[in-house]
Each structure stands twice: as C-alpha cells, then as structure tokens.
Amino acid sequence: MASDITEKLRDDLYQKTRSELNTFLDETNALLAAGDALNEDRTSQAHERLKDFLARGTSPVLDVELNAQPTLTRAVNSTKSYVTAHPWAAVGVAASLGLVASLLLKRNRD
C-alpha cells in the first residue's frame, strides 16, 4: 500500500514537472521565434526564469522522496541498515534486552 502511494506521488510529480517543463519550452521557443524583436533584457529574463525553474525542479523531488515513507518504515529501514553494518552490536543489544526482560518477568513471578 505504501509503495502504491509512493508510486502515485512519483507519477504525479513527474506529470507536474513534465507539464511545467513543456510550458517553459513552449515559452522559450516563442521567444526564440521572435528573433530580432528581442532585446537583451528579455534574454537575461529568460536565463533567470530557466535558473529559477531548474532550482524549483530539484527540491520537490527530494522532499517527496524523503517524506513518502511513513515514520515507522523509515525507522525499520534505518534499523536494518544499522544491524547490517554492526551485527555484533545488535547481538549485544538483543541479549541485554532479553536479560532485562527475563529478570523483570522472574521478579514478578516470585
């Protein structure tokens, strides 16, 4: 289910970015078709718009990809990567938690 939501968000973002890019390209082609009628101010304006568009285009993708996963999924993934990188530390933590749990359960029984 989370992968379906992630895929839908990714597709929506792709469609939106593609639409904005097509709009920008159409406007740029219209400016270039005007040729000699353009002056230096419009050319610099087109450069600025291109820079702004490219700057906007990268940040939403990162935000959506980072926020697409629920908190629990991110925690599980980070735990998996830590256990893979530090297996002996994970064994030590698991053994310690088991010891504490057994001591607590034994104390309640007596």
Side-chain angles (χ1 to χ4, degrees):
M1 181 172 174
S3 63
D4 294 339
I5 293 171
T6 303
E7 190 64 33
K8 174 138 177 56
L9 287 172
R10 188 173 289 139
D11 289 343
D12 289 347
L13 180 63
Y14 173 78
Q15 293 299 328
K16 181 180 177 187
T17 304
R18 184 74 178 168
S19 173
E20 287 183 14
L21 181 60
N22 285 337
T23 302
F24 179 78
L25 290 176
D26 291 342
E27 289 176 2
T28 303
N29 286 334
L31 288 173
L32 291 175
D36 292 333
L38 294 176
N39 58 20
E40 189 64 25
D41 293 336
R42 289 195 179 201
T43 304
S44 62
Q45 182 184 13
H47 285 282
E48 290 300 319
R49 290 186 66 193
L50 177 61
K51 287 179 188 176
D52 291 342
F53 176 77
L54 293 176
R56 279 190 328 229
T58 56
S59 57
V61 173
L62 294 176
D63 292 342
V64 168
E65 288 179 0
L66 290 176
N67 294 327
Q69 294 179 341
T71 306
L72 182 61
T73 305
R74 281 190 302 233
V76 169
N77 288 339
S78 65
T79 303
K80 284 181 183 179
S81 65
Y82 181 81
V83 169
T84 303
H86 305 93
W88 287 110
V91 168
V93 168
S96 299
L97 289 174
L99 179 65
V100 169
S102 68
L103 290 174
L104 290 174
L105 290 173
K106 186 177 180 182
R107 188 180 80 175
N108 286 339
R109 206 198 260 160
D110 291 335

